[in-house]
């Protein structure tokens, strides 16, 4: 049974001010209801006024997704009652959205290129936010915070072109990367992206899963939903066409058929705003370098592999970071950023944003200049990341090397170590001299242990063979 | 800006005011020291603004409407907030939660509505000027019933910022006064462009009325003098138009066939918009607080049931119905089509005439309590709603009496030709009135 998935993605646009008023959108660290005015509080008599920047951001997305921008689009009212909705309606777009008919290329589960059709994008305002005092189901009462009210959103709607939860996740990652490249979206903001997913098994009714607010959540919710629907079909039961809510904490979806959630939104044209005639703006909108172009440039300009280029350009901040440190040695930097650094960051759930590029470049220089072994460099990196994640001032790599005595051991140092090891294990030396090659590995291992990995095993081997030879069998 | 105050303690036996400001600041400028009354659906910072409704009980706007800012800047004294039909929904000012206003011409009669308080305050001489709002005749009807002058400006000419919306696509704020001259003066103050109202257009009214109307072409639509119009009112208005002809205007008959659907279209559109506009009154942010111990939808229903009067509830339900899935095409979409027909009819007529003339209201003022049936009340708006649907300017100027009660002559013009409408009214007032 084929799985059919379509997504509706709501993204907060990263404009400085709200969609219909001059209030600042940078409210996340501030007290509730401090970024509000008569317009976003929906006070009687206040009127909306469109934020030109938000429209430009929407058009950037439309252009990047190769969409058709409508000659004339318009805002509409979506009417419903909810305590976080100050006007009793949301200003959104309905039958004449900003743009229609686009595509985004992704890879399917077999690694083949596939294009996902974008039905439409439209602009709308975010409602306020309810804060349940006491938490979740046990809340005794709720308070409303209107700081979020009026934050500009674009909703991106896909055709039902996705075939698996993994594909859906890849699509979202790709979309997020593109939105960040376009400079219209900041994925690090909490709640900046929310997804509704329509999912069905071919030939059956579809369910709409609402309220998914993370990338992982999308894959989880869809996987759960497919299992649920398959089980129903297996038991010969009908799949109901319904709205379901994703319970992030429990990883399940539940039916939400309570009466208050059955809506007839009574859409009609917003009479307080004029239609948008912005197709002409498109020409003036210049798209920044997008991920594929940047990937190709990385390969050409820095001579790095497709895999590295793909990894590095898969995230705007990572790509920017790479370009800040690539000058040291492009190939070395690619390996250390894409393989080592990324792994260490994932292990710590840290973002690239918390790593100072100048410090990392310093580390790369030590590696390039052979002042430190790979193993030692990893140790330095870990110490740096631990300091960064604790929010401490990060030492320079050279300081860490000095303090921890992680510098590369020189040949002179090696000789002393090797001599100590040989003296301590006469039997092994004997064995080696009598032709047992394996004994040398043991001796090298002992020496590596003593240098705590700072030494290059090849150099140790070389010195050890020299020592045994020159001292005439010891 | 304000540099002194005036005292305002009127003998308001007509219940024209909901709120009086006994000491009103005023200053220098075009309206220096002139007491102006403001309809109570126009936001005034620091002064309660109720829309004639219980649901806004205790609401004091934290900001001034654009027109109020302009009044203050021109030195006017805002002396009070006038009574009105609740949220503008009525033709008599009887649906106000603060009791009906009485007509100063005859205290047993209604002043018309919904700007009945503003009209009565001016007619009784309590203030020289007042602001009203006109969604389907709410300035012109009370002006006609109370024997004063009222102008509904071209849609988009006056900022609606701060006007508590009833039907956004139809309504405009406008001036009311005893003379055309004073109406024109107030219009000049309030017509400054305001970017906060996206539907408004930069077309300031800078105009000194002239009374030379020689060669002006005036159309008299047959529909304005036919069925449903009191023949004595029709006669009075015909005579008034005759006087304009005497002054050099060319008068011809015309027809607005789309009038047949005007009233239906108007009531579908205004109730639809109202049902959405009034959704925000939920007891969460202002007005009487919702009972938060209840589930929120129960609390919302309760506060809205208690807070809104019967007529408002009726119109919310009508509008909600008209926008509902399955009925939208039958009602709202059809009403928009009818509206376009009216716009086209007006454009056609205005290609051959400069003004349209007719009665403002089909009758003189009703007795208090006379109109109990909502439908017959709605019918009395038939002559005023076309100007709102078409967005054109329209003025009502007194043109005589029937049974001792005032009759209004209504003059409508092309969009943004408010000046011409005012000129013709001034010509009638100065030179035409017997």
């Amino acid at each position: 049974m084929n799985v059919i998935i379509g997504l509706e993605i709501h993204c907060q646009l990263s404009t400085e001010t709200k969609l219909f008023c001059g209030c600042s959108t940078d409210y996340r660290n501030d007290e509730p209801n401090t970024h509000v005015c008569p317009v976003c509080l929906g006070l009687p008599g206040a009127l909306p006024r469109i934020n030109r920047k938000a429209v430009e951001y929407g058009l950037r997305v439309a252009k990047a997704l190769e969409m058709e921008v409508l000659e004339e689009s318009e805002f509409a009212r979506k009417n419903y009652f909810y305590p976080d909705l100050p006007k009793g309606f949301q200003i959104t777009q309905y039958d004449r959205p900003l743009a229609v008919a686009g595509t985004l290329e992704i890879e399917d589960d077999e690694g083949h290129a596939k294009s996902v059709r974008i039905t439409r994008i439209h602009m709308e305002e975010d409602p306020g936010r309810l804060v349940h005092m006491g938490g979740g189901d046990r809340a005794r009462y709720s308070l409303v915070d209107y700081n979020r009210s009026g934050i500009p959103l674009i909703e991106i709607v896909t055709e039902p072109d996705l075939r698996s939860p993994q594909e859906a996740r890849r699509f979202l990652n790709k979309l997020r990367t593109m939105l960040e490249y376009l400079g219209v979206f900041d994925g690090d903001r909490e709640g900046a992206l929310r997804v509704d997913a329509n999912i069905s098994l071919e030939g059956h009714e579809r369910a709409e899963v609402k309220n998914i607010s993370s990338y992982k959540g999308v894959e989880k919710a869809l996987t759960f939903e497919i299992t649920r629907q398959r089980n129903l079909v297996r038991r010969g039961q009908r799949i109901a066409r319904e709205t379901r809510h994703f319970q992030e904490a429990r990883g399940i979806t539940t039916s939400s058929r309570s009466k208050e959630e059955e809506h007839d939104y009574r859409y009609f044209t917003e009479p307080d705003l004029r239609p948008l005639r912005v197709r002409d703006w498109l020409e003036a909108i210049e798209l920044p370098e997008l991920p594929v172009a940047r990937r190709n440039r990385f390969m050409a300009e820095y001579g790095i592999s497709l895999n590295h280029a793909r990894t590095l350009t898969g995230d705007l901040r990572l790509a920017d970071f790479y370009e800040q440190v690539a000058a040291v040695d492009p190939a070395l930097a690619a390996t250390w950023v894409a393989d080592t650094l990324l792994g260490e960051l994932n292990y710590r759930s840290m973002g690239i944003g918390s790593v100072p590029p100048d410090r990392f470049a310093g580390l790369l220089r030590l590696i390039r200049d052979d002042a430190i072994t790979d193993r030692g460099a990893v140790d330095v990196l870990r110490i740096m990341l631990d300091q960064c994640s604790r929010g401490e001032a990060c030492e320079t790599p050279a300081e860490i090397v000095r303090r921890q005595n992680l510098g590369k051991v020189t040949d002179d140092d090696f000789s002393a170590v090797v001599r100590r090891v040989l003296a301590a294990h006469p039997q092994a030396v004997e064995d080696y001299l009598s032709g047992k090659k394996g004994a040398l590995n043991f001796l090298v291992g002992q020496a590596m242990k003593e240098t705590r990995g700072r030494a290059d095993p090849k150099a140790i081997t070389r010195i050890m063979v020299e020592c045994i030879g020159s001292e005439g069998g010891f | 800006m304000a540099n002194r105050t005036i005292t305002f303690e009127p003998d308001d036996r007509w219940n024209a005011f909901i709120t009086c400001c006994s000491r009103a600041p005023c200053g220098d400028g075009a309206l220096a020291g002139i007491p102006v009354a403001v309809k109570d659906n126009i936001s005034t910072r620091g002064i309660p603004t109720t829309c004639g409704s219980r649901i806004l009980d205790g609401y004091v706007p934290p900001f001034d409407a654009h027109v109020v800012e302009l009044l203050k800047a021109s030195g006017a004294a805002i002396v009070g907030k006038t009574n009105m039909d609740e949220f503008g929904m009525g033709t008599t000012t009887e649906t106000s939660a603060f009791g009906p206003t009485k007509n100063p011409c005859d205290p047993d009669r209604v002043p018309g509505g919904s700007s009945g308080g503003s009209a009565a305050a001016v007619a009784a001489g309590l203030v020289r000027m007042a602001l009203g709002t006109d969604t389907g005749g709410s300035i012109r009807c009370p002006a006609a019933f109370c024997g004063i002058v009222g102008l509904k400006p071209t849609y988009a000419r006056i900022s609606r910022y701060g006007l508590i919306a009833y039907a956004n696509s139809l309504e405009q704020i406008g001036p009311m006064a005893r003379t055309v001259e004073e109406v024109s003066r107030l219009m000049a103050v309030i017509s400054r462009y305001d970017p906060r109202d996206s539907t408004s257009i930069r077309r300031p009214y800078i105009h000194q009325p002239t009374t030379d109307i020689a060669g002006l072409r005036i159309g008299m639509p047959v529909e304005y003098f036919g069925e449903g119009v009191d023949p004595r009112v029709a006669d009075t208005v015909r005579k008034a138009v005759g006087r304009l002809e005497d002054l050099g205007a060319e008068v011809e008959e015309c027809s607005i066939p789309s009038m047949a659907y005007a009233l239906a279209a108007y009531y579908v559109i205004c109730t639809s918009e109202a049902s959405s506009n009034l959704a925000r009154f939920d007891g969460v942010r202002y007005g009487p607080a919702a009972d938060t111990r209840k589930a929120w939808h129960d609390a919302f229903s309760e506060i809205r049931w208690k807070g809104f009067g019967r007529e408002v509830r009726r119109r919310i339900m009508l509008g909600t119905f008209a926008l509902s899935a399955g009925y939208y095409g039958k009602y709202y979409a059809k009403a928009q089509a009818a509206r376009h027909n009216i716009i086209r009819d007006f454009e056609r007529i205005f290609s051959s005439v400069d003004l349209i003339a007719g009665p403002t209201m089909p009758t003189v003022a009703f007795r208090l309590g006379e109109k109990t049936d909502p439908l017959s009340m709605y019918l009395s708006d038939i002559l005023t709603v076309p100007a709102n649907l078409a967005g054109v300017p329209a003025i009502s100027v007194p043109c005589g009496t029937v049974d001792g009660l005032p009759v209004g002559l209504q003059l409508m013009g092309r969009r943004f030709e408010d000046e011409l409408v005012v000129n013709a009214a001034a010509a009638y007032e100065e030179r035409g009135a017997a």
Side-chain angles (χ1 to χ4, degrees), chain A residues 38 41-45 47-49 77 79 81-83 86-89 146 260 264 266-268 271-274, chain B residues 62-63 160-164 168 195-196 198-199 201 276-277 279-280 284-286 296-297 320 323-325 328 332:
Chain A
L41 280 176
L43 292 192
L47 294 173
R49 189 178 166 196
R77 290 186 181 181
N79 295 285
F81 287 103
Y82 203 69
K87 298 188 293 294
F89 58 83
Y146 293 102
E260 71 208 63
D264 174 356
R266 291 172 283 122
Y267 287 99
F268 71 103
D272 286 332
L273 290 166
R274 289 184 180 281
Chain B
F63 65 101
R160 290 182 293 113
Y161 193 85
L163 162 61
I164 300 180
N168 328 48
R196 292 174 297 184
S198 305
T199 65
I201 285 176
S276 172
N277 290 327
R280 72 188 68 199
V284 174
R285 291 162 308 278
Y286 41 79
W296 63 263
H297 44 285
T320 302
L323 289 173
S324 296
Y328 180 94
Y332 188 78

Side-chain angles (χ1 to χ4, degrees), chain A residues 417 443-457 460:
Chain A
V417 170
L443 291 167
V444 170
Q446 292 302 310
M448 289 299 291
K449 220 177 188 176
E450 284 224 5
T451 61
R452 287 180 308 158
R454 284 175 294 154
D456 178 355
I460 294 255

Side-chain angles (χ1 to χ4, degrees), chain B residues 124-191:
Chain B
L126 305 181
V127 290
R128 267 174 67 181
M129 303 171 176
L131 290 183
T133 64
D134 191 315
T135 310
S138 286
I139 286 175
R140 290 159 289 157
C141 159
F145 280 6
C146 294
I148 65 162
V149 184
L151 170 67
K152 181 204 90 72
T154 301
Y155 186 81
R157 200 146 189 191
I158 313 287
S159 167
R160 290 182 293 113
Y161 193 85
L163 162 61
I164 300 180
Y166 162 22
N168 328 48
S169 76
L170 297 163
E171 65 199 348
Q172 279 288 284
I173 298 169
M176 304 172 82
R178 258 171 296 172
T179 65
V180 175
E181 170 74 36
E182 298 258 282
V183 158
S184 179
R185 239 175 117 184
L186 185 50
M187 176 68 183
V189 167
I190 62 171
S191 66

Side-chain angles (χ1 to χ4, degrees), chain B residues 228-247:
Chain B
V229 180
D230 182 332
R232 296 172 301 167
V233 168
D235 272 350
T236 307
V237 171
R238 251 190 226 106
K239 278 190 199 116
V241 178
R243 292 292 296 139
L244 290 173
E245 201 167 13
D246 297 343
L247 296 172

Side-chain angles (χ1 to χ4, degrees), chain A residues 105 129 189 195 274 276 291 299 319 341 422:
Chain A
E105 293 273 319
R129 206 167 65 85
R189 288 189 183 184
V195 179
R274 289 184 180 281
L276 283 177
M299 289 163 66
L341 175 61
L422 292 179

